[in-house]
Amino acid sequence: MKKKAVKNQMVTRRKPLQERSQQKIELILEAATRILDKEGLSALTTNRIAEVAGISIGTLYQYFSQKNDILVMLGQREMQTVTNRVVALLSNPDRDPGEDPARMLIQAVFGAFGGRSRVHRVLLENALMQGSGKLLDTPPNLIANLLTSWGVPGRSGKSVRFSPAQAFVITQAFVGVTRATVSGHAPNIPKAEIEEALLQLIKGFLAKPD
């Protein structure tokens, strides 16, 4: 009985410790995000992150051995956020039935990359430079699976499912355009015109009766 009591005490103590550790990690990640958003990558140092997070540099090194580790984790979170937003928007059963499904798909993808565009660009470029391209392939792969298994709600309310080839072409088109746009390598073309071109591409696949 005594051993069991000691074990329960250890579990009770460990949980607050784990919670405090997670809070510290969140402070560090949020501080890094704020620096990237306001000051850019050149200002991102471990000392600056610790300063903005309100912690000591020693505390920061307890969780991250170098600045790049922080960037990698932020990149993973950004990609997961993009994936969650796109999937939620595409699978929303309460959408306006009169909404154009092709335009809905475009707004879902481009809208997910909205907000802190500077942060997205930095994290995307860092992932590409670090050879983390597979991480960037996760959202389009999930979207392709969504298009083939669930489809996109058509005007009649029924889902229009895409063939694997159609889903591949659409998602890769989005990947190329989004990467170029977020990384700042896109030509000087208004965003509305790019969206309209993608709209025509998707409408070609949605032209079949639903």
Side-chain angles (χ1 to χ4, degrees):
M1 293 293 295
K2 192 172 183 180
K3 287 184 178 180
K4 188 174 181 181
V6 172
K7 184 177 181 181
N8 288 338
Q9 288 178 0
M10 290 175 64
V11 172
T12 302
R13 291 172 183 171
R14 188 181 300 122
K15 186 175 180 181
L17 179 61
Q18 290 173 343
E19 289 177 354
R20 288 197 298 272
S21 296
Q22 189 58 42
Q23 289 173 356
K24 287 288 195 305
I25 291 173
E26 295 299 331
L27 277 174
I28 293 168
L29 294 177
E30 178 57 27
T33 302
R34 286 165 55 190
I35 295 167
L36 288 173
D37 191 32
K38 302 294 184 183
E39 305 172 38
L41 184 60
S42 61
L44 191 72
T45 64
T46 50
N47 283 321
R48 179 65 176 141
I49 295 170
E51 178 187 354
V52 173
I55 60 175
S56 69
I57 189 66
T59 299
L60 184 147
Y61 283 131
Q62 288 178 12
Y63 303 102
F64 298 97
S65 61
Q66 56 183 332
K67 176 181 72 176
N68 191 60
D69 293 340
I70 299 173
L71 288 171
V72 168
M73 181 172 284
L74 281 173
Q76 292 172 343
R77 288 195 170 194
E78 291 289 348
M79 290 302 104
Q80 188 60 54
T81 298
V82 168
T83 300
N84 292 343
R85 288 179 182 175
V86 172
V87 171
L89 285 167
L90 293 182
S91 59
N92 180 16
D94 300 322
R95 74 175 187 88
D96 184 350
E99 186 177 0
D100 187 334
R103 193 173 295 279
M104 181 187 71
L105 179 58
I106 290 174
Q107 291 174 347
V109 175
F110 274 88
F113 280 91
R116 288 165 160 166
S117 58
R118 185 178 190 178
V119 174
H120 281 294
R121 183 171 63 252
V122 169
L123 294 175
L124 180 58
E125 289 180 341
N126 181 73
L128 290 172
M129 286 189 297
Q130 297 297 323
S132 304
K134 289 184 178 180
L135 173 65
L136 304 177
D137 290 335
T138 301
N141 286 340
L142 290 175
I143 295 168
N145 289 334
L146 179 64
L147 294 176
T148 55
S149 59
W150 295 355
V152 176
R155 291 187 181 280
S156 67
K158 296 180 181 179
S159 291
V160 178
R161 293 187 182 183
F162 293 80
S163 71
Q166 291 171 335
F168 173 78
V169 170
I170 289 174
T171 53
Q172 291 306 311
F174 273 118
V175 168
V177 171
T178 303
R179 284 187 180 187
T181 302
V182 175
S183 64
H185 296 146
N188 189 23
I189 300 174
K191 182 181 177 182
E193 292 185 18
I194 295 176
E195 291 185 0
E196 187 63 30
L198 285 171
L199 181 64
Q200 296 306 314
L201 171 67
I202 297 171
K203 279 188 173 181
F205 292 129
L206 290 172
K208 59 183 181 180
D210 61 336

